[in-house]
Amino acid sequence: MANPDRLTALDSTFLHLEDHSTAHMHVASVMVFEGSAPTLQELVDHVLARLHLVPRYRQRLVFVPFSQGRPVWADDPHFNPYYHIRHTALPKPADEAALKMLAGRLFSQRLDRSKPLWEIWLVQSMAGGRFALIAKTHHALVDGISGVDITTVLFDTAREPAAPTAPASPWSAKPLPGPAKLLGESLLERSTVPGEMVRGARALLRAPRRAVSQAKEGLANIGATTLAGINAPAPPSPFNVPIGPHRRYTFLDAELARFKAIKDSLGGTLNDVVLTSVSLALGRYLRRAGHDTTGLVLKAMVPVSVRTKAQRGALGNQVAAMWAPLPVGVENPAECLRSIATAMEDLKKSGQAVGAQVLTNLAGFAPPTILSQAARLQARQPFFNLVVTNVPGPQIPLYLLGRRLEVLYPVVPLAQRQALGIAVMSYDGHLGFGLLGDYDALPDLDAIALDLKWAIAALSRAAGVRSRSRPARKPASPRASAGRAAAARASSDPSSTGKPASAG
């Protein structure tokens, strides 16, 4: 039996993509809450009370000698929650611009592989009587869908929830496995797991017709996936340039109901509307920068979850990929949406996502050295221009220590020669767009966010959809009201410097 604590091939790939590069493979989120911030001690105690529900968060990577196997998760004997849960504050006026600048700095810092691969930053005292959390987790540990499940574990669905179930026994770290044990287990798996494959093949041969049918289908799907990347490489663009280690981050909040209304009026799926808004925004940005977009179709890598219901809540990655066209040369919103909806429907029928999953499963039998080389080759090949990921989140309010989560903005990492990544996540009637850009390649990242806002408005007009006014917030506590008043006085203070916050 394979070691359940060993990284899968896909999880390992996210480590290899980081090696010897300026890419940082952590997924992240920026979350804004109502009310005054809890103390650092309150947040640490809250997380520790639930950490037994996500035991990987107390584990670190250990590496097999001579790269003779994929890394293994093991208990960190020096686990310190105060290293992972940190406290910071924004400079006056403590607005969203300052929060974006701080987030960009934090996303520029690689997670330390000698420790559990996650961080949570408590950002105190934002303007408007609010506070924020900025969370980072390495992609080798979590994908978008399982990340949603972890969020629902660490957060509450009621303002005053019942006390969490205590662990059966206090946690204590198991000893780290030594090099000899790591090497021995890896070599043993290499000799025994193929035996399990042979037995599986024998079972399939008992039903030869079914086996042949499955093989043909799998080969066809692999062919669709491979040809999509090789026969139609991504065109050159200002988003595909060498990147450095530093990042910019910005976000945009939209109404989920508006996107659903656009879908109902113009056709397609919710994801088609998201891709169309991105396509219209990027087209407008490129034309304003002097680029000719006539007939230009960018390629977006769209991760698709293949996680079953039984796998929800489990860490690790269960994703495949589709190569979605972004016809940035089409300026008419309705026409752009029709083009994308038709293309996405054809892609689903072609079996691209299934083919990508089959290729990922086959990678599980490749030696780690080959996986490392494949990851580097993938980063150099122009298979796509950018990643656009749309993750469905909880559609009920979430709470942290009695404070309601107002909005959530996700982050997708940048690979080599990928200067822009766009992540979208739905939560409680909102769609949060998070745009991550290379600091030097995209100094005007905020302009793309404004173009995205324009694109959503253009789609709304084409669909005859009017923006609905936001429901009024519930009255805040006297302490929160005092915080808002103080923030308002600070924002009107001409002596405010607006210097960036320190991430250290």
Side-chain angles (χ1 to χ4, degrees), residues 192-235:
T192 57
V193 171
E196 297 295 325
M197 294 167 54
V198 170
R199 281 189 286 275
R202 289 173 180 168
L204 281 175
L205 290 175
R206 297 191 187 104
R209 289 184 181 178
R210 180 182 176 189
V212 170
S213 175
Q214 289 177 340
K216 287 182 178 179
E217 184 178 351
L219 289 173
N221 291 331
I222 291 174
T225 303
T226 306
L227 290 175
I230 296 176
N231 288 352

Side-chain angles (χ1 to χ4, degrees), residues 144 271 274-275 301-303 387-391 410-412 422-425:
N271 194 55
V274 169
L275 291 174
M301 196 275 274
V302 180
V387 175
V388 181
T389 177
N390 183 12
V391 178
V411 178
V412 64
I422 300 179
V424 187
M425 186 169 179

Side-chain angles (χ1 to χ4, degrees), residues 125-156:
S125 301
M126 283 186 62
R130 300 177 296 167
F131 71 97
L133 291 183
I134 300 178
K136 294 167 52 180
T137 306
H138 200 285
H139 216 326
L141 176 61
V142 62
D143 63 27
I145 297 296
S146 63
V148 173
D149 295 331
I150 291 173
T151 300
T152 57
V153 166
L154 295 181
F155 293 95
D156 300 310

Side-chain angles (χ1 to χ4, degrees), residues 249-465:
Y249 183 70
T250 189
F251 49 72
L252 176 70
D253 183 32
E255 299 169 343
L256 180 59
R258 181 191 286 205
F259 279 73
K260 291 180 178 179
I262 293 171
K263 168 185 70 73
D264 294 340
S265 175
L266 298 179
T269 66
L270 184 66
N271 194 55
D272 295 337
V273 179
V274 169
L275 291 174
T276 302
S277 63
V278 171
S279 183
L280 292 170
L282 296 184
R284 190 175 193 238
Y285 170 81
L286 291 172
R287 286 187 291 274
R288 191 174 58 252
H291 297 277
D292 183 9
T293 62
T294 305
L296 179 60
V297 179
L298 299 182
K299 290 182 67 177
M301 196 275 274
V302 180
V304 178
S305 174
V306 291
R307 186 179 298 273
T308 65
K309 290 183 178 179
Q311 293 169 324
R312 287 188 67 89
L315 299 183
N317 289 271
Q318 296 287 340
V319 294
M322 294 179 68
W323 316 116
L326 299 179
V328 295
V330 179
E331 300 185 47
N332 181 282
E335 181 184 346
C336 187
L337 176 55
R338 284 194 298 269
S339 174
I340 289 178
T342 300
M344 293 302 292
E345 184 64 28
D346 292 341
L347 288 176
K348 293 171 187 175
K349 293 178 181 177
S350 74
Q352 259 197 42
V354 178
Q357 183 187 11
V358 172
L359 287 173
T360 299
N361 292 337
L362 290 177
F365 306 109
T369 51
I370 295 180
L371 285 177
S372 177
Q373 294 299 323
R376 295 178 189 177
L377 177 64
Q378 178 184 355
R380 291 197 297 266
Q381 296 298 320
F383 291 149
F384 56 93
N385 297 103
L386 74 158
V387 175
V388 181
T389 177
N390 183 12
V391 178
Q395 292 308 304
I396 56 174
L398 297 179
Y399 298 87
L400 173 73
L401 292 166
R403 286 86 162 172
R404 179 171 176 160
L405 173 62
E406 292 186 342
V407 287
L408 185 154
Y409 304 107
V411 178
V412 64
L414 305 182
Q416 295 182 56
R417 298 189 65 84
Q418 306 287 326
L420 174 65
I422 300 179
V424 187
M425 186 169 179
S426 60
Y427 162 69
D428 193 25
H430 298 257
L431 270 182
F433 286 76
L435 285 70
L436 186 69
D438 178 74
Y439 191 89
D440 297 310
L442 289 178
D444 51 353
L445 183 65
D446 282 323
I448 300 179
L450 292 176
D451 288 329
L452 187 56
K453 185 176 182 179
W454 167 88
I456 297 170
L459 274 168
S460 299
R461 288 192 298 270
V465 176

